[in-house]
């Protein structure tokens, strides 16, 4: 693809691919102004390109770092009591205008809501990861698969642990 | 709380509570302009107030509806093959400026990232729910706990099912 089309379409995903594949459907999306996000931190991982990153995080994968920005650092208090946490992040390189996609590993077209592709109307990534430790305002985890410098949106205890008492005490809401 | 403070602080959560409790810490948050969201649909549930809603969704709870807006309806294609899906939504009534909270059920203060409270810097809700069926552009599910009219951000297959072949065929990416 060359010329103005390329600029209009932008990166396919993770800065790796620009093309729309045969069988894919692109739409003119509404302006993403229904609500606004604030990046509460930054994810540091060993992977600089999609080709390097694992397709799915593994519990025994490398330790990755969630660096929390001001003024959110006090929000970490008590997180150390959990063994597994949910990490929510923003897949900032993904295009957002494809409603049917043809995954590389597949010859056929699927709706975006039936895939976990990073290409989606709101490119929000969610992962359940193992909490390794907390050092100051940095959270160490295993099990991520996202690129280095991915913006962080949120951290939460996972619900099944949250419903019962965490280790240490029972005082959660 | 009365007067200008009330307006400044806005609703505590789900339009139910305005106060900041003893032991809670409020910050002046950065403007939420790092990225923008588009509402891809609307969640319909039986619950109009937080007091009515369950604290946590149940797999045998009532059927709730995810109504998908244009132009995203084609993105549902293939979703019917999954038994469980992840629903991501926007907790639009929540305040976003509290970094330490005192849950009602607890007398003690916890960091926001150590709670699943709707009050958070980016009030994004995530739930794993049972897929009951799809009728046109409406997805029927069980297991939600959010309020009626909650804005919908995304739907995804859950990762553990996604890693293996879904029922029907193996062609996912």
């Amino acid at each position: 693809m060359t010329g103005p089309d390329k600029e209009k379409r932008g990166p396919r995903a993770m800065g790796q691919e620009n093309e729309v594949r045969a069988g894919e459907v692109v739409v003119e999306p509404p302006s993403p102004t229904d609500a606004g996000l604030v990046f509460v931190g930054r994810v540091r991982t060993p992977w600089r390109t999609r080709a390097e990153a694992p397709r799915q995080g593994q519990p025994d994968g490398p330790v990755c770092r969630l660096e929390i920005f001001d003024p959110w650092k006090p929000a970490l208090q008590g997180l150390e009591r959990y063994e597994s946490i949910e990490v929510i992040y923003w897949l900032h390189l993904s295009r957002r205008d494809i409603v049917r996609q043809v995954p590389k590993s597949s010859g056929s077209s699927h709706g975006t809501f039936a895939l976990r592709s990073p290409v989606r109307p709101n490119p929000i990534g969610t992962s359940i990861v193992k909490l390794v430790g907390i050092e100051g305002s940095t959270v160490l985890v295993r099990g991520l698969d996202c690129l280095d410098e991915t913006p962080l949106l949120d951290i939460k205890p996972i619900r099944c642990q949250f419903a019962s008492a965490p280790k240490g005490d029972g005082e959660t809401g």
Side-chain angles (χ1 to χ4, degrees), chain A:
Chain A
M1 199 159 61
T2 59
D5 263 356
K6 187 175 176 183
E7 260 186 43
K8 183 184 159 204
R9 288 176 174 174
R12 165 59 193 270
M14 303 298 189
Q16 285 250 297
E17 299 163 21
N18 292 317
E19 87 278 17
V20 173
R21 301 184 187 120
E24 295 192 324
V25 177
V26 179
V27 296
E28 189 72 38
S31 180
T33 53
D34 290 328
L37 296 171
V38 56
F39 296 159
V40 301
R42 169 176 44 213
V43 184
R44 304 306 309 266
T45 78
W47 307 296
R48 307 302 300 271
T49 66
R50 195 64 227 168
E52 292 169 33
R55 182 167 167 285
Q56 182 174 334
Q58 298 297 334
D60 59 352
V63 172
C64 299
R65 302 163 63 84
L66 313 176
E67 298 173 350
I68 307 301
F69 300 152
D70 283 321
W72 311 111
K73 294 171 184 176
L76 290 175
Q77 187 266 325
L79 187 68
E80 69 280 356
R81 296 176 302 160
Y82 292 90
E83 292 178 8
S84 296
I85 58 177
E86 183 173 9
V87 180
I88 302 177
Y89 43 95
W90 185 249
L91 300 160
H92 60 303
L93 298 178
S94 296
R95 60 186 296 166
R96 304 175 63 169
D97 58 351
I98 304 188
V99 292
R100 289 182 59 140
Q101 304 179 40
V102 178
K104 248 194 223 173
S105 57
S106 151
S108 64
S109 169
H110 300 265
T112 292
F113 295 149
L115 296 171
R116 286 190 75 95
S117 160
V119 172
R120 35 207 329 116
N122 295 300
I124 294 169
T126 63
S127 288
I128 305 293
V129 301
K130 289 285 171 195
L131 178 60
V132 174
I134 300 180
E135 294 176 353
S137 59
T138 297
V139 181
L140 309 179
V141 301
R142 289 186 197 273
L144 283 175
D145 58 10
C146 62
L147 297 189
D148 193 33
E149 303 282 1
T150 294
L152 181 68
L153 297 177
D154 205 354
I155 300 172
K156 304 185 188 192
I158 63 170
R159 197 181 283 276
C160 52
Q161 287 185 307
F162 185 75
S164 58
K167 57 184 178 183
D169 78 47
E171 298 186 271
T172 61

